[in-house]
Amino acid sequence: ERKLEFLGDSITAGYCNMCDLQIVPQTENFALSWSKLVCDAFGAECHVAAWSGFGMVKSCCGGETVMSDVWLRTLASTPSGNASDPHGTTAENRWSFKKWKPDALIINLGTNDKLSTRGD
């Protein structure tokens, strides 16, 4: 069985893929996202780390967490336990890259980096 890993933002997560006129989180359906459809088409086991608003270097909507932080975590929403390292995570929550190795890594990031309202 193939193993595919996806790292992305709202496009990968399926944000607004069921939108009509109202853009709200309830219009996001991962089961209809392009990443899930690719997994189904290839009959692949997949791991998807996708979070709306997050960028690779900076996120569009505030906060310091970026996708390069989340990618290292088993549970994406568990932050660092160390105030001097806001981009890290707890030792127990670190993803083990030795236990699950994908055949391919698909990255779709960058849109939110450009949309950032920060001047840096």
Side-chain angles (χ1 to χ4, degrees):
E1 181 175 70
R2 291 181 183 99
K3 292 182 179 180
L4 302 176
E5 183 170 7
F6 294 83
L7 182 60
D9 52 27
S10 55
I11 296 165
T12 305
Y15 182 74
C16 200
N17 61 358
M18 295 178 24
C19 284
D20 206 1
L21 296 175
Q22 189 177 20
I23 300 175
V24 294
Q26 292 82 358
T27 61
E28 181 175 314
N29 185 341
F30 178 73
L32 300 175
S33 69
W34 71 269
S35 50
K36 173 74 166 84
L37 297 175
V38 167
C39 292
D40 291 348
F42 283 102
E45 178 183 336
C46 289
H47 172 73
V48 179
W51 199 307
S52 297
F54 282 13
M56 188 66 184
V57 177
K58 57 185 172 181
S59 297
C60 75
C61 309
E64 295 299 318
T65 304
V66 290
M67 280 307 298
S68 52
D69 303 335
V70 171
W71 184 59
L72 299 173
R73 300 174 181 172
T74 300
L75 182 61
S77 59
T78 300
S80 173
N82 181 349
S84 66
D85 181 19
H87 299 288
T89 191
T90 61
E92 307 81 39
N93 193 49
R94 231 171 138 72
W95 178 260
S96 174
F97 291 96
K98 292 180 181 179
K99 291 183 179 179
W100 196 85
K101 295 181 181 180
D103 297 305
L105 172 62
I106 300 96
I107 301 172
N108 186 23
L109 284 168
T111 305
N112 292 315
D113 294 85
K114 182 67 175 165
L115 290 176
S116 176
T117 57
R118 299 185 321 186
D120 55 344

